[in-house]
Amino acid sequence: METTLNTIPELFRINEPLIQDDYLINGQILSWEGPTADVFSTISSTEEYAPTLLGKVPNMAEEEALRALDAAVSAYDKGQGVWPTMRVSDRIECIERFVSIMETKRDEVVKLLMWEIGKSLNDSKKEFDRTIDYIHDTIEDYKNLDRDSAKFEKNDGVYAHIRRGPLGVVLCLGPYNYPLNETFCLLIPAIIMGNTAVFKPAKHGVLLIAPLIEAFKESFPKGVVNIVFGRGRAIAGPIMKTGKVDVLALIGNSLSANALQTQHPKSNRLRLVLGLEAKNPAIVLPDADLDLAISECISGALSFNGQRCTALKVIYVHADVVDTFNKKFAAAVDSLKFGNPWDPEVNLTPLPEPGKPAYIQELIDDAVEKGAKILNPRGGEHSENYIWPAVLYPVNKNMRVYSEEQFGPVIPILSFNDIQEPLDDMAESNYGQQVSLFGSDVFALAPLIDTLANLVCRVNLNSSCQRGPDVYPFTGRKDSAVATLSVHDALRSFSIRTFVASKDTELNKEILEKLL
């Protein structure tokens, strides 16, 4: 794909690299003078392909990580700090101040989302706007939570005032595929509940945090949010080894989560809020509306090039309809539009990880060597920053693409005669997030939905897998998640129930009346 500076809309051009040397510790924006890391985009801005240098970020290590942690620990102050003891209305005011400043940075963040991770203009705008909505919805749900906890209960002669309290210090690590939305779906509910946090942005999608550092400083007391930059091993490992972290909030993969957990000296004290990998299947029954199933499977498998934990990563199609499905599906994949994120109506965009095309090619080669065919003529075509989605069939369990979470544009298809086959595969899988089920016979669907609901946490009927709307629970079984993230559930994931109890005596009544 030929790109020159002149073909890029002026609004989205990178005229000079962004030197991000600011970081936030203990309420102070500090200037970094140590080693830095270059941030490149796989999108080229020259006629002859070359990655674009977007900017530089601090390459911090243990010393800065521990300073940030100490600031968060000090701000929490054993639960006696300004933030955890602040009135609910005042904490809400801080969050509202933050989001009002954040809204003024929309254009900057959207532009960096496109360049850093290759997300389309429309999807980048949606990610920003959805994050704003999530914060507003979290505020409203927190108000309801506070109102509900204002009353006293009485049982068996004992009064109780039950509310939710903070857990302590949170280490927040977000993902590169939704570096704004999913990161803030961890960070915002964590701090609104009175916790303090150390936040390290993802490797890809790191520069887009730069426009928001000032907003964090202006909105929260010192030490509530501390932002550091660097490699995960250099930052997160030393923090976990101290044992001072109360909550590990991570969206990524289970290998990273397990490695960090084991470094905590008191892992039994560690609360986990994890969104991890998945291998979400689609199941196409013989009576399914094939046109609908194909449309939803295209969206589910290839939205943002399949770089979503909720993406459809394997498709089971009944043998009676598999040939028709495959022919139409392969043609639909090859009709998709590839382009840069700002191109109109683009479906497929450059991959942000330089090594991803080679990895996808490995999966394709392994599958073909073991008997699969590439059904679409364009499948596996390479460009400098992309590999065209390959539709692979027939796929079997010996192929890497069957078991590995590909997190990219390759689509394995299996056929089945007995519905027990995909059900057994799902039961044996390490993952259990969601499934898409396509069919129309109610008598076949009803018992199947009941079974699937015991294997995954969300059954999508005649629709692709997805996270939203954010008011619905987002979680998974087995290696796919720990805790539940939604507007409602995240507040509870980052807090614990506490209460004051008193026997029904005259002295206690008098004290409670004065307290109230």
Side-chain angles (χ1 to χ4, degrees):
M1 181 176 57
E2 185 175 303
T3 305
T4 65
L5 194 60
N6 291 332
T7 63
I8 301 171
E10 187 172 351
L11 182 63
F12 306 132
R13 292 178 189 172
I14 300 294
N15 295 313
E16 59 183 36
L18 172 60
I19 308 303
Q20 168 51 37
D21 54 6
D22 290 341
Y23 61 106
L24 180 65
I25 292 181
N26 204 31
Q28 290 185 299
I29 295 180
L30 305 171
S31 183
W32 177 250
E33 297 178 355
T36 60
D38 292 336
V39 179
F40 284 96
S41 171
T42 60
I43 300 169
S44 179
S45 55
T46 56
E47 189 168 343
E48 187 164 332
Y49 178 80
T52 299
L53 178 63
L54 298 180
K56 296 176 181 290
V57 294
N59 193 9
M60 297 177 171
E62 182 173 343
E63 181 181 349
E64 294 73 37
L66 296 183
R67 280 177 58 207
L69 175 62
D70 287 344
V73 171
S74 178
Y76 190 69
D77 192 19
K78 307 179 186 69
Q80 302 171 71
V82 170
W83 186 248
T85 59
M86 186 179 284
R87 290 181 359 178
V88 166
S89 59
D90 292 335
R91 279 212 295 264
I92 288 173
E93 186 177 322
C94 292
I95 299 287
E96 289 175 333
R97 185 184 309 126
F98 172 78
V99 76
S100 67
I101 301 173
M102 179 179 168
E103 286 177 299
T104 68
K105 307 295 183 181
R106 183 176 188 262
D107 290 346
E108 295 174 69
V109 174
V110 166
K111 176 180 174 179
L112 288 167
L113 270 169
M114 289 191 292
W115 278 98
E116 287 198 77
I117 64 170
K119 187 164 286 190
S120 72
L121 175 58
N122 284 339
D123 284 348
S124 295
K125 289 178 178 178
K126 285 178 186 175
E127 177 164 351
F128 187 93
D129 295 341
R130 180 181 175 187
T131 306
I132 296 294
D133 290 342
Y134 184 95
I135 297 173
H136 285 303
D137 290 344
T138 297
I139 291 171
E140 291 307 309
D141 205 273
Y142 186 41
K143 290 177 181 177
N144 294 334
L145 180 64
D146 183 56
R147 279 194 291 268
D148 291 343
S149 65
K151 60 182 182 295
F152 274 77
E153 298 180 14
K154 182 182 178 183
N155 285 286
D156 292 336
V158 177
Y159 285 102
H161 178 212
I162 304 171
R163 58 182 181 175
R164 300 200 72 90
L167 295 163
V169 176
V170 179
L171 175 60
C172 181
L173 305 170
Y176 84 79
N177 58 337
Y178 288 89
L180 184 73
N181 180 257
E182 291 203 343
T183 299
F184 279 35
C185 287
L186 298 174
L187 185 60
I188 296 300
I191 59 177
I192 202 173
M193 292 306 300
N195 303 290
T196 60
V198 177
F199 161 44
K200 190 198 83 67
K203 180 181 178 181
H204 303 287
V206 58
L207 284 172
L208 60 86
I209 298 300
L212 304 176
I213 291 179
E214 184 72 28
F216 280 110
K217 176 187 180 297
E218 294 298 322
S219 304
F220 300 104
K222 66 179 186 178
V224 173
V225 178
N226 304 275
I227 303 173
V228 289
F229 300 86
R231 296 183 61 190
R233 291 178 184 176
I235 299 293
I239 288 176
M240 293 298 290
K241 288 176 183 177
T242 67
K244 296 178 181 179
V245 170
D246 300 290
V247 186
L248 173 61
L250 178 149
I251 295 181
N253 64 70
S254 55
L255 291 176
S256 299
N258 290 337
L260 288 172
Q261 288 177 63
T262 58
Q263 293 184 65
H264 197 289
K266 296 279 188 178
S267 57
N268 60 295
R269 298 183 185 179
L270 184 66
R271 172 76 68 93
L272 300 175
V273 181
L274 309 176
L276 305 172
E277 68 264 35
K279 191 78 175 177
N280 292 336
I283 300 175
V284 182
L285 300 176
D287 62 339
D289 179 333
L290 286 191
D291 289 336
L292 172 64
I294 288 165
S295 174
E296 290 293 321
C297 287
I298 290 284
S299 173
L302 291 176
S303 289
F304 192 41
N305 300 306
Q307 298 167 121
R308 301 176 301 122
C309 64
T310 56
L312 290 175
K313 299 192 176 80
V314 59
I315 301 176
Y316 292 87
V317 186
H318 194 276
D320 290 351
V321 295
V322 69
D323 290 340
T324 303
F325 179 93
N326 285 348
K327 183 177 179 180
K328 291 184 175 183
F329 186 81
V333 169
D334 276 1
S335 70
L336 297 174
K337 180 181 178 181
F338 174 71
N340 281 321
W342 46 80
D343 293 340
E345 299 179 1
V346 68
N347 307 112
L348 308 172
T349 53
L351 298 167
E353 296 176 286
K356 182 57 68 74
Y359 168 69
I360 297 297
Q361 186 64 56
E362 287 179 14
L363 297 182
I364 295 171
D365 292 344
D366 174 75
V368 169
E369 183 182 326
K370 293 172 181 173
K373 291 183 172 60
I374 302 174
L375 299 186
N376 54 321
R378 299 193 65 184
E381 283 184 7
H382 279 259
S383 61
E384 294 87 349
N385 53 12
Y386 199 68
I387 181 170
W388 196 268
V391 182
L392 299 174
Y393 178 82
V395 166
N396 62 55
K397 297 181 183 181
N398 296 319
M399 299 174 186
R400 289 175 57 190
V401 75
Y402 170 81
S403 56
E404 295 181 23
E405 187 200 27
Q406 62 268 42
F407 218 72
V410 59
I411 307 157
I413 299 178
L414 295 82
S415 65
F416 68 94
N417 287 292
D418 184 346
I419 189 61
Q420 199 60 45
E421 296 169 38
L423 293 180
D424 288 344
D425 289 350
M426 291 174 65
E428 293 169 6
S429 170
N430 290 325
Y431 311 113
Q433 189 195 76
Q434 300 186 31
V435 64
S436 289
L437 178 62
F438 297 93
S440 57
D441 182 352
V442 174
F443 294 102
L445 290 172
L448 189 50
I449 289 171
D450 288 341
T451 299
L452 290 169
N454 290 333
L455 295 173
V456 296
C457 290
R458 175 167 170 164
V459 180
N460 300 277
L461 183 59
N462 290 311
S463 57
S464 63
C465 297
Q466 63 183 68
R467 171 168 177 161
D470 288 320
V471 295
Y472 293 154
F474 179 58
T475 187
R477 299 173 185 267
K478 296 185 276 191
D479 288 347
S480 287
V482 177
T484 302
L485 291 172
S486 69
V487 170
H488 177 81
D489 293 299
L491 295 174
R492 288 149 180 84
S493 294
F494 285 103
S495 61
I496 191 166
R497 296 183 86 195
T498 66
F499 66 100
V500 177
S502 62
K503 290 185 176 180
D504 186 8
T505 65
E506 290 302 317
L507 174 61
N508 282 340
K509 281 182 181 179
E510 183 180 343
I511 292 172
L512 290 177
E513 285 175 4
K514 290 179 180 179
L515 284 173
L516 290 172

